[in-house]
Amino acid sequence: QVHLVQSGSELKKPGASVKVSCKASGYTFNEYAINWVRQAPGQGLEWMGWINTNTGTPTYAQAFTGRLVFSLDKSVNTAYLQISSLKAEDTAVYFCARGKYELPFWGQGAQVTVSS
Amino acid sequence: DIQMTQSPSSLSASVGDRVTITCRASQGISNYLAWFQQKPGKAPKSLIYSVSSLQSGVPSRFSGSGSGTDFTLTISSLQADDVAAYYCHQYYNTPQTFGGGTKVEIK
């Protein structure tokens, strides 16, 4: 069955960078896109963008352009989200989800806390 | 960007009640509408896609309907296990957007 397993919690200082991983199993990795979704504490869901796992082409939501990088390591069926110049407002749970349109499968989420 | 407006933001109902959550899109989204359930500390779980198609394993008490800009999620007989937040989601175009969520509690 399809599984998306994300990396663990991270505590970072303002200005630092973080890289969250999303390891896929149970299907052919390059047949489905990986999306990234953010959920700030007590808030709703916010789509950050997606990466074409066949071509490696990322698409970023305009609200997040500039500090995000989506990447892949196809040798280990893993997608990555890197956020640079972290701010306190980046404190959130970051989810990966499989699919280009509907999103039936999600990772468990990775907590990123930004605090001095 | 397409705005998704959900209502109500919260509701309290008794076990066995019929519960309805609505979602309005700021423009037509054809049938590119999904619903998610999220329990505290957990990832969202896909319930419905393409307005009314039930994901595998989702109880039949959940159903979706609507077209164009107005959509509805119905729980025909609320169960204690349905306590959660519910989100609508449009994937008609990018950026994909979610409704603000509806918290469902048991009275």
Side-chain angles (χ1 to χ4, degrees):
Chain A
Q1 61 273 41
V2 176
H3 283 300
L4 298 174
V5 179
Q6 297 185 235
S7 47
S9 298
E10 301 265 12
L11 175 60
K12 296 291 184 180
K13 294 190 183 304
S17 296
V18 69
K19 194 170 186 177
V20 174
S21 67
C22 173
K23 183 172 176 60
S25 62
Y27 71 98
T28 302
F29 183 65
N30 63 3
E31 288 186 354
Y32 297 89
I34 293 289
N35 293 252
W36 291 94
V37 176
R38 180 174 82 172
Q39 187 168 38
Q43 302 301 307
L45 303 168
E46 191 173 14
W47 184 79
M48 302 172 72
W50 65 283
I51 184 165
N52 183 318
T53 52
N54 189 33
T55 64
T57 303
T59 299
Y60 302 105
Q62 193 164 5
F64 294 93
T65 299
R67 295 190 299 122
L68 295 188
V69 175
F70 301 152
S71 61
L72 304 171
D73 185 343
K74 294 184 185 182
S75 68
V76 289
N77 292 348
T78 300
Y80 299 94
L81 161 66
Q82 184 165 349
I83 311 173
S84 58
S85 302
L86 286 164
K87 311 170 187 177
E89 309 89 87
D90 294 318
T91 294
V93 177
Y94 292 85
F95 295 100
C96 60
R98 191 194 87 167
K100 184 178 178 183
Y101 301 111
E102 60 206 64
L103 304 175
F105 299 104
W106 291 59
Q108 83 276 20
Q111 173 71 52
V112 175
T113 303
V114 184
S115 173
S116 55
Chain B
D1 298 2
I2 297 175
Q3 306 302 317
M4 304 298 290
T5 303
Q6 257 183 263
S7 62
S9 56
S10 66
L11 66 89
S12 182
S14 299
V15 171
D17 281 355
R18 183 181 184 88
V19 168
T20 298
I21 298 168
T22 63
C23 184
R24 173 165 289 176
S26 59
Q27 66 184 74
I29 57 171
S30 186
N31 67 333
Y32 295 98
L33 189 283
W35 290 95
F36 291 91
Q37 176 193 66
Q38 187 181 31
K39 297 183 177 181
K42 299 294 187 182
K45 173 186 175 183
S46 177
L47 297 176
I48 287 170
Y49 63 97
S50 298
V51 177
S52 59
S53 296
L54 215 60
Q55 286 286 359
S56 175
V58 173
S60 59
R61 63 180 179 274
F62 291 93
S63 64
S65 64
S67 63
T69 60
D70 293 312
F71 304 90
T72 300
L73 172 70
T74 299
I75 308 173
S76 61
S77 177
L78 186 67
Q79 304 300 304
D81 189 51
D82 301 336
V83 169
Y86 293 83
Y87 295 92
C88 60
H89 166 231
Q90 72 79 17
Y91 48 98
Y92 177 74
N93 66 9
T94 57
Q96 296 184 19
T97 48
F98 295 86
T102 297
K103 286 191 176 179
V104 174
E105 299 176 338
I106 299 293
K107 193 182 295 183

